[in-house]
Tab-separated table of all heavy atoms in Angstrom:
chain	number	residue	atom	x	y	z
A	1	MET	N	-9.627	2.299	38.714
A	1	MET	CA	-8.311	2.903	38.992
A	1	MET	C	-7.469	2.935	37.737
A	1	MET	O	-7.388	1.965	36.998
A	1	MET	CB	-7.573	2.095	40.053
A	1	MET	CG	-6.167	2.609	40.345
A	1	MET	SD	-5.406	1.624	41.656
A	1	MET	CE	-3.829	2.431	41.788
A	47	THR	N	-0.580	-14.236	33.648
A	47	THR	CA	-1.067	-15.551	33.974
A	47	THR	C	0.005	-16.375	34.583
A	47	THR	O	1.168	-16.284	34.202
A	47	THR	CB	-1.588	-16.280	32.686
A	47	THR	OG1	-0.520	-16.317	31.749
A	47	THR	CG2	-2.764	-15.523	32.074
A	68	ASP	N	15.409	1.254	16.977
A	68	ASP	CA	16.905	1.350	16.898
A	68	ASP	C	17.457	0.327	15.891
A	68	ASP	O	18.669	0.202	15.769
A	68	ASP	CB	17.530	1.148	18.255
A	68	ASP	CG	17.219	-0.212	18.904
A	68	ASP	OD1	16.771	-1.101	18.156
A	68	ASP	OD2	17.414	-0.378	20.096
A	72	SER	N	13.459	-6.220	13.023
A	72	SER	CA	12.822	-5.795	11.756
A	72	SER	C	11.356	-5.571	11.986
A	72	SER	O	10.747	-6.150	12.914
A	72	SER	CB	13.018	-6.857	10.685
A	72	SER	OG	12.263	-8.011	10.982
A	79	ALA	N	5.352	-10.900	16.104
A	79	ALA	CA	5.271	-11.082	17.543
A	79	ALA	C	3.909	-10.649	18.075
A	79	ALA	O	3.320	-11.368	18.942
A	79	ALA	CB	6.384	-10.317	18.258
A	86	ALA	N	-3.575	-14.014	15.843
A	86	ALA	CA	-3.993	-13.512	14.527
A	86	ALA	C	-3.168	-14.163	13.411
A	86	ALA	O	-2.055	-14.618	13.615
A	86	ALA	CB	-3.822	-11.984	14.467
A	108	ASP	N	2.122	-7.598	1.937
A	108	ASP	CA	1.403	-7.922	0.693
A	108	ASP	C	0.998	-6.609	0.017
A	108	ASP	O	-0.152	-6.148	0.185
A	108	ASP	CB	0.150	-8.749	1.049
A	108	ASP	CG	-0.714	-9.065	-0.154
A	108	ASP	OD1	-0.180	-9.019	-1.285
A	108	ASP	OD2	-1.900	-9.294	-0.022
A	143	MET	N	-21.508	-4.185	12.089
A	143	MET	CA	-22.358	-4.493	10.959
A	143	MET	C	-23.379	-5.558	11.299
A	143	MET	O	-23.115	-6.457	12.114
A	143	MET	CB	-21.523	-5.005	9.743
A	143	MET	CG	-20.515	-4.028	9.203
A	143	MET	SD	-19.478	-4.789	7.903
A	143	MET	CE	-20.699	-5.065	6.622
A	145	PRO	N	-25.941	-8.786	10.269
A	145	PRO	CA	-25.777	-9.946	9.396
A	145	PRO	C	-26.195	-9.637	7.959
A	145	PRO	O	-25.585	-10.106	6.999
A	145	PRO	CB	-26.644	-11.016	10.025
A	145	PRO	CG	-26.722	-10.692	11.451
A	145	PRO	CD	-26.680	-9.154	11.483
A	147	GLU	N	-26.049	-6.695	6.452
A	147	GLU	CA	-25.020	-5.870	5.856
A	147	GLU	C	-23.811	-6.676	5.484
A	147	GLU	O	-23.216	-6.451	4.428
A	147	GLU	CB	-24.650	-4.747	6.809
A	147	GLU	CG	-25.743	-3.695	6.992
A	147	GLU	CD	-25.441	-2.728	8.098
A	147	GLU	OE1	-24.758	-3.117	9.064
A	147	GLU	OE2	-25.943	-1.604	8.032
A	164	CYS	N	-8.706	-13.069	6.421
A	164	CYS	CA	-9.168	-11.781	6.975
A	164	CYS	C	-10.592	-11.830	7.501
A	164	CYS	O	-11.080	-10.837	8.048
A	164	CYS	CB	-9.058	-10.687	5.908
A	164	CYS	SG	-7.406	-10.286	5.410
A	199	LYS	N	-5.463	-8.183	25.075
A	199	LYS	CA	-4.076	-8.040	24.619
A	199	LYS	C	-4.018	-7.034	23.488
A	199	LYS	O	-3.102	-6.216	23.435
A	199	LYS	CB	-3.559	-9.394	24.144
A	199	LYS	CG	-3.276	-10.379	25.247
A	199	LYS	CD	-2.691	-11.681	24.674
A	199	LYS	CE	-2.357	-12.654	25.801
A	199	LYS	NZ	-1.758	-13.912	25.225
A	225	ASP	N	16.078	15.766	3.302
A	225	ASP	CA	16.950	15.341	2.173
A	225	ASP	C	16.739	16.212	0.953
A	225	ASP	O	17.456	16.095	-0.035
A	225	ASP	CB	16.612	13.882	1.804
A	225	ASP	CG	17.164	12.904	2.829
A	225	ASP	OD1	17.975	13.347	3.650
A	225	ASP	OD2	16.797	11.724	2.760
A	237	GLY	N	6.208	14.653	-14.505
A	237	GLY	CA	5.340	14.424	-13.351
A	237	GLY	C	5.974	13.500	-12.335
A	237	GLY	O	6.636	12.552	-12.748
A	242	ASP	N	4.376	5.682	-0.321
A	242	ASP	CA	5.049	4.956	0.780
A	242	ASP	C	4.912	3.455	0.528
A	242	ASP	O	4.431	2.964	-0.495
A	242	ASP	CB	4.470	5.351	2.130
A	242	ASP	CG	2.991	4.970	2.277
A	242	ASP	OD1	2.475	4.150	1.535
A	242	ASP	OD2	2.352	5.568	3.184
A	248	LEU	N	2.198	10.118	-1.037
A	248	LEU	CA	2.699	11.089	-0.064
A	248	LEU	C	2.789	12.475	-0.650
A	248	LEU	O	2.594	13.491	0.040
A	248	LEU	CB	4.062	10.672	0.438
A	248	LEU	CG	4.191	9.320	1.157
A	248	LEU	CD1	5.662	9.016	1.462
A	248	LEU	CD2	3.376	9.331	2.443
A	287	THR	N	3.553	-2.104	-7.026
A	287	THR	CA	3.798	-3.093	-6.012
A	287	THR	C	5.198	-3.701	-6.107
A	287	THR	O	5.820	-4.043	-5.109
A	287	THR	CB	2.720	-4.222	-6.066
A	287	THR	OG1	2.665	-4.796	-7.380
A	287	THR	CG2	1.341	-3.668	-5.713
A	291	ARG	N	8.144	-3.612	-3.221
A	291	ARG	CA	8.950	-4.761	-2.788
A	291	ARG	C	10.441	-4.431	-2.860
A	291	ARG	O	11.207	-4.907	-2.010
A	291	ARG	CB	8.610	-5.968	-3.653
A	291	ARG	CG	7.219	-6.534	-3.386
A	291	ARG	CD	6.991	-7.884	-4.045
A	291	ARG	NE	5.681	-8.345	-3.770
A	291	ARG	CZ	5.277	-8.970	-2.657
A	291	ARG	NH1	6.163	-9.144	-1.694
A	291	ARG	NH2	4.036	-9.402	-2.486
A	296	GLU	N	12.677	-6.781	-0.559
A	296	GLU	CA	12.223	-8.136	-0.890
A	296	GLU	C	12.625	-8.551	-2.300
A	296	GLU	O	12.569	-9.722	-2.624
A	296	GLU	CB	10.733	-8.273	-0.690
A	296	GLU	CG	10.288	-8.180	0.749
A	296	GLU	CD	9.004	-8.963	0.982
A	296	GLU	OE1	8.330	-9.326	0.032
A	296	GLU	OE2	8.705	-9.222	2.165
A	340	SER	N	5.087	15.185	-25.793
A	340	SER	CA	4.251	15.823	-26.808
A	340	SER	C	5.103	16.425	-27.941
A	340	SER	O	4.645	16.632	-29.035
A	340	SER	CB	3.424	16.985	-26.173
A	340	SER	OG	4.266	17.897	-25.481
A	377	ALA	N	-7.120	-2.366	-37.333
A	377	ALA	CA	-7.645	-3.342	-38.314
A	377	ALA	C	-8.591	-2.681	-39.294
A	377	ALA	O	-8.558	-2.894	-40.512
A	377	ALA	CB	-8.287	-4.498	-37.605
A	392	LYS	N	0.953	-10.760	-31.605
A	392	LYS	CA	1.573	-11.928	-30.987
A	392	LYS	C	3.030	-12.045	-31.455
A	392	LYS	O	3.937	-12.353	-30.637
A	392	LYS	CB	0.769	-13.153	-31.338
A	392	LYS	CG	1.269	-14.435	-30.668
A	392	LYS	CD	0.396	-15.640	-31.012
A	392	LYS	CE	0.914	-16.913	-30.339
A	392	LYS	NZ	0.076	-18.078	-30.690
A	399	GLY	N	10.418	-10.278	-26.847
A	399	GLY	CA	10.535	-10.919	-25.550
A	399	GLY	C	9.719	-10.259	-24.457
A	399	GLY	O	10.077	-10.197	-23.292
Side-chain angles (χ1 to χ4, degrees):
M1 176 179 180
T47 57
D68 60 17
S72 70
D108 176 25
M143 298 174 66
E147 289 171 333
C164 293
K199 288 182 178 181
D225 287 347
D242 63 19
L248 300 174
T287 55
R291 290 190 180 280
E296 291 208 345
S340 57
K392 184 177 179 181

